[in-house]
Amino acid sequence: MLYLIISFIISLLVSMVIIYYSHKHQIFMDNHDSDKPQLFHDNATPRSGGIGIIIGLLPFIFSIFGIKLLIPTILAFISGIFEDFHNSLSATTRLILQSAASIMAIWLLNAYVSYLGLGIYLPLWFAYIFTTFAIVGMMNAINIIDGFNGLASGVTLLILLSFGYISYSENNQELLKIILITIGAILGFIILNFPKGKIFLGDGGAYLLGFVVAIIGIFLSNKYDTVSPWYVLAVLIYPVWEVLFSIIRKLSLKKSPLKPDSYHFHMLVFRVLAKNNPLTAIIIVSLNMPFIYFATIHAHNSLYNIKIITLFILLYVSLYFYLLRKDKTIS
């Protein structure tokens, strides 16, 4: 817990300094009067919360596992922070950096998806490709759901609490330490982000969080036979399905999956149910809690977690189209 407290204090203090200097020098600012479809705030706000979090992860250096994780995590963070600073990286460059960070983590931590459960194994060469794709996908998934105060960071906290419980159950004290440090760093950010939104994660922070939870989940399922890969997917299912559903939805409308719009699930929840920024995060995080809880207590059971994933998808799709019908912004 000492590591959690230290990372929390570091992250909080750095974030406070970032907020002050961002407003003073007008850097990292997300203007409230831009025409972005995902804009849901009324004041210019620094989108540099990832800086406090990445510096809050410095206690990683007191662990061999943490040092190996910190190096590619910094690269994952870099893939987004330049975008937050002055929109200077192309989508291709970001993808290259994210892939490089993923490959480095796979190599350093020996963390890759080789077993899919139910007796299905992947060839090693394909396991590396699949894992790289999964990590990059998770980085962008967290970025997609980062639309409201406390949403992406709140969902990430739930995921880390689940992974922390599994690490504790497997008596992996080193990994538990890493998870607690990450939780502390996120809490240092959340206290300034929720509910008032004094600072946002930004691309750098979202990519960082997505990268860390992806690596930890993959490491757990690869290292322990008692941890089903379907458990990991069940815990991550909200951001994962948000990405997949978004791609399917846009392609069905003959739109580019890469072009942002205002019809993601969290946006519909905001307009139809919550009509309030922080309340939107509370609703969605609360909806995720039971799924993550039941996945966690049945982490060894692939079939049970497949049922959880299926139930989540059915409820998500049903609620999505209900909200879509109620959305008054549709002409």
Side-chain angles (χ1 to χ4, degrees):
M1 293 302 293
L2 176 61
Y3 288 102
L4 185 152
I5 294 170
I6 292 173
S7 62
F8 167 77
I9 293 173
I10 293 173
S11 175
L12 176 62
L13 293 178
V14 170
S15 296
M16 291 172 68
V17 171
I18 290 294
I19 291 171
Y20 173 78
Y21 279 100
S22 291
H23 282 285
K24 183 175 181 180
H25 299 288
Q26 292 299 299
I27 57 174
F28 297 112
M29 299 302 287
D30 196 358
N31 294 322
H32 64 289
D33 55 355
S34 70
D35 58 355
K36 294 188 294 185
Q38 66 271 34
L39 187 71
F40 292 97
H41 59 96
D42 299 321
N43 301 296
T45 306
R47 42 180 292 133
S48 47
I51 297 176
I53 295 175
I54 193 69
I55 296 177
L57 297 183
L58 285 180
F60 275 11
I61 63 174
F62 297 108
S63 159
I64 298 299
F65 184 96
I67 293 173
K68 292 179 179 180
L69 178 58
L70 184 60
I71 297 170
T73 298
I74 291 173
L75 187 57
F77 169 71
I78 289 173
S79 73
I81 192 61
F82 283 104
E83 184 72 9
D84 297 326
F85 187 51
H86 47 55
N87 302 317
S88 60
L89 291 183
S90 67
T92 301
T93 302
R94 290 200 303 273
L95 182 61
I96 291 172
L97 288 173
Q98 291 168 2
S99 299
S102 303
I103 293 168
M104 187 184 299
I106 293 169
W107 173 61
L108 289 174
L109 298 169
N110 195 35
Y112 54 88
V113 181
S114 59
Y115 179 58
L116 299 181
L118 306 177
I120 303 173
Y121 290 87
L122 299 177
L124 190 60
W125 65 270
F126 186 72
Y128 290 155
I129 296 173
F130 178 81
T131 305
T132 302
F133 178 81
I135 297 169
V136 172
M138 191 62 199
M139 292 170 67
N140 287 277
I142 294 296
N143 194 37
I144 284 178
I145 67 169
D146 181 31
F148 293 95
N149 301 342
L151 179 53
S153 50
V155 170
T156 302
L157 277 180
L158 287 182
I159 293 168
L160 288 172
L161 287 172
S162 176
F163 289 165
Y165 175 80
I166 299 300
S167 300
Y168 176 79
S169 300
E170 297 293 344
N171 198 31
N172 191 327
Q173 298 299 318
E174 186 174 25
L175 184 58
L176 180 58
K177 181 194 301 182
I178 295 303
I179 292 171
L180 290 175
I181 290 170
T182 309
I183 288 174
I186 295 173
L187 289 175
F189 160 79
I190 282 185
I191 201 170
L192 297 171
N193 171 255
F194 184 87
K196 297 296 185 180
K198 296 182 182 300
I199 189 170
F200 297 152
L201 268 178
D203 288 356
Y207 291 155
L208 182 162
L209 295 186
F211 181 82
V212 171
V213 296
I215 292 297
I216 292 175
I218 290 167
F219 179 84
L220 283 172
S221 66
N222 186 50
K223 184 174 179 62
Y224 299 108
D225 294 336
T226 53
V227 179
S228 167
W230 292 96
Y231 148 72
V232 177
L233 179 57
V235 169
L236 302 175
I237 188 59
Y238 166 52
V240 170
W241 180 245
E242 179 66 40
V243 172
L244 295 177
F245 183 77
S246 176
I247 293 172
I248 295 169
R249 174 174 60 82
K250 291 177 182 178
L251 288 177
S252 69
L253 297 172
K254 295 181 170 46
K255 296 181 179 180
S256 169
L258 301 178
K259 186 176 181 180
D261 66 12
S262 59
Y263 291 98
H264 287 287
F265 179 76
H266 53 275
M267 298 173 179
L268 292 177
V269 171
F270 171 78
R271 290 198 296 266
V272 177
L273 294 180
K275 306 183 188 303
N276 175 280
N277 189 317
L279 182 58
T280 302
I282 292 173
I283 291 172
I284 297 177
V285 170
S286 299
L287 288 173
N288 275 273
M289 281 182 179
F291 292 96
I292 292 178
Y293 171 76
F294 285 109
T296 304
I297 62 176
H298 295 280
H300 63 287
N301 192 325
S302 293
L303 286 175
Y304 189 94
N305 278 286
I306 289 173
K307 292 176 182 177
I308 289 177
I309 292 166
T310 303
L311 178 60
F312 177 91
I313 291 172
L314 290 173
L315 291 176
Y316 175 105
V317 173
S318 300
L319 184 55
Y320 181 90
F321 285 108
Y322 169 79
L323 295 173
L324 191 63
R325 288 195 300 271
K326 296 290 186 179
D327 185 15
K328 296 180 180 179
T329 66
I330 299 178
S331 56

Coordinates of all heavy atoms in Angstrom, one line a residue, residues 200-261:
F200 N -7.9 16.3 -18.4 CA -8.3 15.1 -19.1 C -7.1 14.2 -19.4 O -6.0 14.6 -19.3 CB -8.9 15.5 -20.5 CG -10.1 16.4 -20.4 CD1 -10.4 17.3 -21.4 CD2 -11.0 16.3 -19.3 CE1 -11.6 18.1 -21.4 CE2 -12.1 17.1 -19.2 CZ -12.4 18.0 -20.3
L201 N -7.5 12.9 -19.6 CA -6.4 11.9 -19.9 C -5.6 12.3 -21.1 O -4.4 12.2 -21.1 CB -7.1 10.6 -20.1 CG -7.2 9.6 -18.9 CD1 -7.9 8.3 -19.4 CD2 -5.9 9.3 -18.3
G202 N -6.3 12.7 -22.2 CA -5.6 12.9 -23.4 C -5.3 11.6 -24.1 O -5.4 10.5 -23.5
D203 N -4.8 11.6 -25.3 CA -4.4 10.4 -26.0 C -3.3 9.7 -25.3 O -3.3 8.4 -25.2 CB -4.0 10.7 -27.5 CG -5.2 11.1 -28.3 OD1 -6.3 11.1 -27.8 OD2 -5.0 11.5 -29.5
G204 N -2.3 10.4 -24.8 CA -1.2 9.8 -24.1 C -1.6 9.0 -22.9 O -1.2 7.9 -22.7
G205 N -2.5 9.6 -22.1 CA -3.0 8.9 -20.9 C -3.8 7.7 -21.2 O -3.7 6.6 -20.6
A206 N -4.7 7.8 -22.3 CA -5.6 6.7 -22.6 C -4.8 5.6 -23.2 O -5.0 4.4 -22.9 CB -6.6 7.2 -23.6
Y207 N -3.9 5.9 -24.1 CA -3.0 4.8 -24.7 C -2.2 4.1 -23.6 O -2.1 2.9 -23.6 CB -2.1 5.4 -25.7 CG -2.7 5.9 -27.0 CD1 -2.1 6.9 -27.8 CD2 -3.9 5.3 -27.4 CE1 -2.7 7.3 -28.9 CE2 -4.5 5.8 -28.6 CZ -3.9 6.8 -29.3 OH -4.5 7.2 -30.5
L208 N -1.7 4.9 -22.6 CA -0.9 4.3 -21.5 C -1.8 3.3 -20.7 O -1.3 2.2 -20.5 CB -0.5 5.5 -20.6 CG 0.4 5.2 -19.4 CD1 1.1 6.5 -19.0 CD2 -0.4 4.7 -18.2
L209 N -3.0 3.7 -20.3 CA -3.8 2.8 -19.5 C -4.2 1.6 -20.3 O -4.2 0.5 -19.7 CB -5.1 3.6 -19.1 CG -4.9 4.8 -18.1 CD1 -6.2 5.4 -17.6 CD2 -4.0 4.4 -16.9
G210 N -4.6 1.8 -21.6 CA -5.0 0.6 -22.4 C -3.8 -0.4 -22.5 O -4.0 -1.6 -22.5
F211 N -2.6 0.2 -22.7 CA -1.4 -0.7 -22.8 C -1.1 -1.5 -21.5 O -0.9 -2.7 -21.6 CB -0.2 0.2 -23.1 CG 1.1 -0.5 -23.3 CD1 1.4 -1.1 -24.6 CD2 2.0 -0.6 -22.3 CE1 2.5 -1.8 -24.8 CE2 3.2 -1.3 -22.5 CZ 3.5 -1.9 -23.7
V212 N -1.2 -0.8 -20.4 CA -0.9 -1.5 -19.1 C -1.9 -2.6 -18.8 O -1.5 -3.7 -18.5 CB -0.8 -0.4 -18.0 CG1 -0.7 -1.2 -16.6 CG2 0.4 0.5 -18.2
V213 N -3.2 -2.3 -19.0 CA -4.1 -3.3 -18.6 C -4.1 -4.5 -19.6 O -4.3 -5.7 -19.2 CB -5.6 -2.8 -18.5 CG1 -5.7 -1.8 -17.4 CG2 -6.1 -2.2 -19.8
A214 N -3.8 -4.2 -20.9 CA -3.6 -5.3 -21.9 C -2.5 -6.2 -21.5 O -2.6 -7.4 -21.5 CB -3.5 -4.7 -23.3
I215 N -1.3 -5.6 -21.2 CA -0.1 -6.4 -20.9 C -0.4 -7.2 -19.6 O 0.0 -8.4 -19.5 CB 1.1 -5.5 -20.7 CG1 1.5 -4.9 -22.0 CG2 2.3 -6.3 -20.1 CD1 1.9 -5.9 -23.1
I216 N -0.9 -6.6 -18.6 CA -1.2 -7.4 -17.3 C -2.1 -8.5 -17.5 O -1.9 -9.6 -17.1 CB -1.7 -6.4 -16.2 CG1 -0.6 -5.4 -15.8 CG2 -2.1 -7.2 -15.0 CD1 -1.0 -4.4 -14.8
G217 N -3.2 -8.3 -18.3 CA -4.2 -9.3 -18.5 C -3.6 -10.5 -19.3 O -3.8 -11.7 -19.0
I218 N -2.8 -10.1 -20.3 CA -2.1 -11.2 -21.2 C -1.1 -12.0 -20.3 O -1.0 -13.2 -20.4 CB -1.5 -10.5 -22.4 CG1 -2.5 -10.0 -23.4 CG2 -0.5 -11.5 -23.1 CD1 -2.0 -9.1 -24.4
F219 N -0.4 -11.2 -19.5 CA 0.6 -11.9 -18.7 C 0.0 -12.9 -17.7 O 0.4 -14.0 -17.6 CB 1.4 -10.9 -17.9 CG 2.4 -11.5 -16.9 CD1 3.7 -11.8 -17.4 CD2 2.1 -11.7 -15.6 CE1 4.6 -12.4 -16.6 CE2 3.1 -12.3 -14.7 CZ 4.3 -12.6 -15.2
L220 N -1.1 -12.5 -17.1 CA -1.8 -13.4 -16.2 C -2.3 -14.7 -16.8 O -2.2 -15.8 -16.3 CB -3.0 -12.7 -15.5 CG -2.7 -11.7 -14.4 CD1 -3.9 -10.9 -14.0 CD2 -2.1 -12.4 -13.2
S221 N -3.0 -14.5 -18.0 CA -3.5 -15.7 -18.7 C -2.4 -16.6 -19.3 O -2.6 -17.8 -19.4 CB -4.5 -15.2 -19.8 OG -3.8 -14.6 -20.8
N222 N -1.3 -16.0 -19.6 CA -0.2 -16.8 -20.2 C 0.6 -17.5 -19.1 O 1.1 -18.7 -19.3 CB 0.8 -15.9 -20.9 CG 1.8 -16.7 -21.7 OD1 1.5 -17.6 -22.4 ND2 3.1 -16.3 -21.5
K223 N 0.7 -16.9 -17.9 CA 1.5 -17.5 -16.8 C 0.8 -18.5 -16.0 O 1.4 -19.5 -15.5 CB 2.0 -16.3 -15.9 CG 3.0 -16.8 -14.8 CD 3.5 -15.7 -14.0 CE 4.5 -16.1 -12.9 NZ 5.7 -16.9 -13.5
Y224 N -0.5 -18.4 -15.8 CA -1.2 -19.2 -14.9 C -2.3 -20.0 -15.6 O -3.2 -19.5 -16.3 CB -1.9 -18.4 -13.8 CG -0.9 -17.7 -12.9 CD1 -0.8 -16.3 -13.0 CD2 0.0 -18.3 -12.1 CE1 0.1 -15.6 -12.3 CE2 0.9 -17.6 -11.3 CZ 1.0 -16.3 -11.4 OH 1.9 -15.6 -10.7
D225 N -2.2 -21.3 -15.5 CA -3.2 -22.2 -16.1 C -4.6 -22.0 -15.5 O -5.6 -22.3 -16.1 CB -2.8 -23.7 -15.9 CG -1.6 -24.0 -16.7 OD1 -1.3 -23.3 -17.7 OD2 -0.9 -25.0 -16.3
T226 N -4.7 -21.5 -14.3 CA -5.9 -21.3 -13.6 C -6.6 -20.0 -14.0 O -7.8 -19.7 -13.6 CB -5.7 -21.2 -12.1 OG1 -4.7 -20.2 -11.8 CG2 -5.2 -22.6 -11.5
V227 N -6.0 -19.2 -14.9 CA -6.6 -18.0 -15.4 C -6.9 -18.1 -16.8 O -6.1 -18.2 -17.7 CB -5.6 -16.8 -15.2 CG1 -6.2 -15.5 -15.8 CG2 -5.2 -16.6 -13.8
S228 N -8.2 -18.2 -17.1 CA -8.7 -18.4 -18.5 C -8.5 -17.1 -19.3 O -8.8 -16.0 -18.8 CB -10.2 -18.7 -18.5 OG -10.7 -18.6 -19.8
P229 N -8.1 -17.2 -20.6 CA -8.0 -16.0 -21.4 C -9.4 -15.4 -21.7 O -9.5 -14.2 -21.9 CB -7.4 -16.6 -22.7 CG -7.7 -18.0 -22.7 CD -7.6 -18.4 -21.2
W230 N -10.4 -16.2 -21.5 CA -11.8 -15.7 -21.6 C -12.2 -14.8 -20.5 O -13.0 -13.9 -20.6 CB -12.8 -16.8 -21.8 CG -12.6 -17.5 -23.1 CD1 -11.9 -18.7 -23.4 CD2 -13.1 -17.1 -24.4 NE1 -11.9 -19.0 -24.7 CE2 -12.7 -18.0 -25.4 CE3 -13.9 -16.0 -24.8 CZ2 -13.0 -17.9 -26.7 CZ3 -14.2 -15.9 -26.2 CH2 -13.8 -16.8 -27.1
Y231 N -11.6 -15.1 -19.3 CA -11.8 -14.2 -18.1 C -11.2 -12.8 -18.5 O -11.8 -11.8 -18.2 CB -11.1 -14.8 -16.9 CG -10.5 -13.7 -16.0 CD1 -11.4 -13.0 -15.2 CD2 -9.2 -13.4 -15.9 CE1 -10.9 -12.0 -14.3 CE2 -8.7 -12.4 -15.0 CZ -9.6 -11.7 -14.3 OH -9.1 -10.7 -13.5
V232 N -10.0 -12.8 -19.0 CA -9.4 -11.5 -19.4 C -10.3 -10.7 -20.4 O -10.5 -9.5 -20.2 CB -8.0 -11.7 -20.0 CG1 -7.4 -10.4 -20.4 CG2 -7.1 -12.4 -18.9
L233 N -10.8 -11.4 -21.4 CA -11.7 -10.8 -22.3 C -12.9 -10.3 -21.7 O -13.4 -9.2 -22.0 CB -12.0 -11.7 -23.5 CG -12.9 -11.2 -24.6 CD1 -12.3 -9.9 -25.2 CD2 -13.2 -12.2 -25.7
A234 N -13.5 -11.1 -20.8 CA -14.7 -10.7 -20.1 C -14.5 -9.5 -19.2 O -15.4 -8.6 -19.2 CB -15.2 -11.9 -19.2
V235 N -13.4 -9.3 -18.6 CA -13.1 -8.1 -17.8 C -12.9 -6.9 -18.7 O -13.3 -5.8 -18.3 CB -11.8 -8.4 -16.9 CG1 -11.3 -7.1 -16.3 CG2 -12.1 -9.4 -15.9
L236 N -12.4 -7.1 -19.9 CA -12.1 -6.0 -20.8 C -13.2 -5.8 -21.8 O -13.1 -5.0 -22.7 CB -10.8 -6.3 -21.6 CG -9.5 -6.5 -20.8 CD1 -8.4 -6.9 -21.7 CD2 -9.1 -5.3 -20.0
I237 N -14.3 -6.5 -21.7 CA -15.3 -6.6 -22.7 C -15.9 -5.2 -23.1 O -16.2 -5.0 -24.3 CB -16.4 -7.6 -22.4 CG1 -17.3 -7.8 -23.6 CG2 -17.2 -7.2 -21.2 CD1 -16.6 -8.3 -24.8
Y238 N -16.1 -4.3 -22.2 CA -16.8 -3.1 -22.5 C -15.9 -2.3 -23.5 O -16.4 -2.0 -24.6 CB -17.1 -2.2 -21.3 CG -17.4 -0.8 -21.6 CD1 -18.4 -0.5 -22.6 CD2 -16.7 0.3 -21.0 CE1 -18.7 0.8 -22.9 CE2 -17.0 1.6 -21.3 CZ -18.0 1.9 -22.3 OH -18.3 3.2 -22.6
P239 N -14.7 -1.9 -23.2 CA -13.9 -1.2 -24.3 C -13.7 -2.0 -25.5 O -13.7 -1.4 -26.6 CB -12.6 -0.9 -23.6 CG -12.5 -1.8 -22.4 CD -13.9 -2.1 -22.0
V240 N -13.5 -3.3 -25.4 CA -13.2 -4.2 -26.6 C -14.5 -4.2 -27.5 O -14.4 -3.9 -28.7 CB -12.9 -5.6 -26.2 CG1 -12.9 -6.5 -27.4 CG2 -11.5 -5.6 -25.5
W241 N -15.6 -4.4 -26.9 CA -16.9 -4.5 -27.7 C -17.2 -3.1 -28.2 O -17.8 -3.0 -29.3 CB -18.0 -5.0 -26.9 CG -19.3 -5.1 -27.7 CD1 -20.4 -4.4 -27.4 CD2 -19.5 -5.9 -28.9 NE1 -21.4 -4.7 -28.4 CE2 -20.9 -5.6 -29.3 CE3 -18.7 -6.8 -29.6 CZ2 -21.4 -6.2 -30.4 CZ3 -19.3 -7.4 -30.7 CH2 -20.6 -7.1 -31.1
E242 N -16.9 -2.0 -27.5 CA -17.2 -0.7 -28.0 C -16.5 -0.5 -29.3 O -17.1 0.1 -30.3 CB -16.8 0.4 -27.0 CG -17.0 1.8 -27.4 CD -18.5 2.2 -27.5 OE1 -19.3 1.7 -26.7 OE2 -18.8 2.9 -28.5
V243 N -15.2 -0.9 -29.4 CA -14.5 -0.8 -30.7 C -15.1 -1.6 -31.8 O -15.3 -1.1 -32.9 CB -13.0 -1.1 -30.4 CG1 -12.3 -1.2 -31.8 CG2 -12.3 -0.2 -29.5
L244 N -15.3 -2.9 -31.5 CA -15.8 -3.8 -32.5 C -17.2 -3.4 -33.0 O -17.5 -3.4 -34.2 CB -15.9 -5.2 -31.9 CG -14.6 -5.9 -31.6 CD1 -14.8 -7.2 -31.0 CD2 -13.7 -6.0 -32.8
F245 N -18.1 -3.0 -32.1 CA -19.4 -2.6 -32.4 C -19.4 -1.3 -33.3 O -20.1 -1.1 -34.2 CB -20.3 -2.4 -31.2 CG -21.7 -2.0 -31.5 CD1 -22.6 -2.9 -31.9 CD2 -22.1 -0.7 -31.3 CE1 -23.9 -2.6 -32.2 CE2 -23.4 -0.3 -31.6 CZ -24.3 -1.3 -32.0
S246 N -18.5 -0.4 -32.9 CA -18.3 0.9 -33.6 C -17.9 0.6 -35.1 O -18.4 1.3 -36.0 CB -17.3 1.8 -32.9 OG -17.1 3.0 -33.7
I247 N -17.0 -0.3 -35.3 CA -16.5 -0.7 -36.6 C -17.7 -1.2 -37.4 O -17.9 -0.8 -38.6 CB -15.4 -1.7 -36.6 CG1 -14.1 -1.0 -35.9 CG2 -15.1 -2.2 -37.9 CD1 -13.0 -1.9 -35.7
I248 N -18.4 -2.2 -36.8 CA -19.5 -2.8 -37.5 C -20.6 -1.8 -37.8 O -21.2 -1.8 -38.9 CB -20.2 -3.9 -36.6 CG1 -19.1 -5.1 -36.4 CG2 -21.4 -4.5 -37.2 CD1 -19.5 -6.1 -35.3
R249 N -20.9 -0.9 -36.9 CA -22.0 0.1 -37.0 C -21.6 1.0 -38.2 O -22.5 1.3 -39.0 CB -22.1 0.9 -35.7 CG -23.1 2.0 -35.8 CD -23.3 2.7 -34.4 NE -22.0 3.1 -33.8 CZ -21.5 4.3 -34.1 NH1 -22.0 5.1 -34.9 NH2 -20.3 4.6 -33.5
K250 N -20.4 1.5 -38.2 CA -20.0 2.5 -39.2 C -19.9 1.9 -40.6 O -20.3 2.5 -41.6 CB -18.7 3.1 -38.8 CG -18.8 4.1 -37.6 CD -17.4 4.6 -37.2 CE -17.6 5.5 -36.0 NZ -16.2 6.0 -35.5
L251 N -19.4 0.6 -40.7 CA -19.3 0.0 -42.0 C -20.7 -0.3 -42.5 O -21.0 -0.2 -43.7 CB -18.6 -1.4 -41.8 CG -17.1 -1.3 -41.6 CD1 -16.4 -2.6 -41.4 CD2 -16.4 -0.5 -42.8
S252 N -21.7 -0.6 -41.6 CA -23.1 -0.9 -42.1 C -23.7 0.4 -42.6 O -24.6 0.3 -43.4 CB -23.9 -1.4 -40.9 OG -24.1 -0.4 -39.9
L253 N -23.2 1.5 -42.2 CA -23.7 2.8 -42.7 C -22.9 3.4 -43.8 O -23.0 4.5 -44.2 CB -23.8 3.8 -41.5 CG -24.7 3.5 -40.4 CD1 -24.5 4.5 -39.2 CD2 -26.1 3.5 -40.8
K254 N -21.9 2.5 -44.3 CA -21.0 2.9 -45.4 C -20.1 4.1 -45.0 O -19.9 5.0 -45.8 CB -21.7 3.2 -46.7 CG -22.4 1.9 -47.2 CD -23.1 2.2 -48.5 CE -23.6 1.0 -49.3 NZ -24.2 0.0 -48.5
K255 N -19.7 4.2 -43.7 CA -18.9 5.2 -43.2 C -17.5 4.6 -42.8 O -17.4 3.4 -42.5 CB -19.5 5.9 -42.0 CG -20.8 6.6 -42.3 CD -21.3 7.3 -41.0 CE -22.6 8.1 -41.3 NZ -23.1 8.7 -40.0
S256 N -16.5 5.5 -42.8 CA -15.2 5.0 -42.4 C -15.1 4.7 -40.9 O -15.5 5.6 -40.1 CB -14.1 6.1 -42.7 OG -12.9 5.8 -42.1
P257 N -14.6 3.5 -40.5 CA -14.5 3.2 -39.1 C -13.5 4.2 -38.3 O -13.6 4.3 -37.1 CB -14.0 1.8 -39.1 CG -14.3 1.3 -40.4 CD -14.2 2.4 -41.4
L258 N -12.7 4.8 -39.1 CA -11.7 5.7 -38.5 C -12.2 7.1 -38.3 O -11.6 7.9 -37.6 CB -10.4 5.8 -39.4 CG -9.7 4.5 -39.7 CD1 -8.5 4.7 -40.6 CD2 -9.3 3.8 -38.4
K259 N -13.4 7.5 -38.8 CA -13.9 8.8 -38.7 C -14.8 8.9 -37.4 O -15.7 8.1 -37.3 CB -14.8 9.2 -39.9 CG -15.2 10.6 -39.9 CD -16.0 10.9 -41.2 CE -16.5 12.4 -41.2 NZ -17.2 12.7 -42.5
P260 N -14.5 9.8 -36.5 CA -15.2 9.9 -35.3 C -16.7 10.4 -35.5 O -16.9 11.1 -36.5 CB -14.4 11.0 -34.5 CG -13.7 11.8 -35.5 CD -13.4 10.8 -36.6
D261 N -17.6 10.0 -34.7 CA -18.9 10.5 -34.7 C -19.5 10.6 -33.3 O -18.8 10.4 -32.4 CB -19.8 9.6 -35.6 CG -20.0 8.2 -35.0 OD1 -19.7 7.9 -33.8 OD2 -20.5 7.3 -35.7

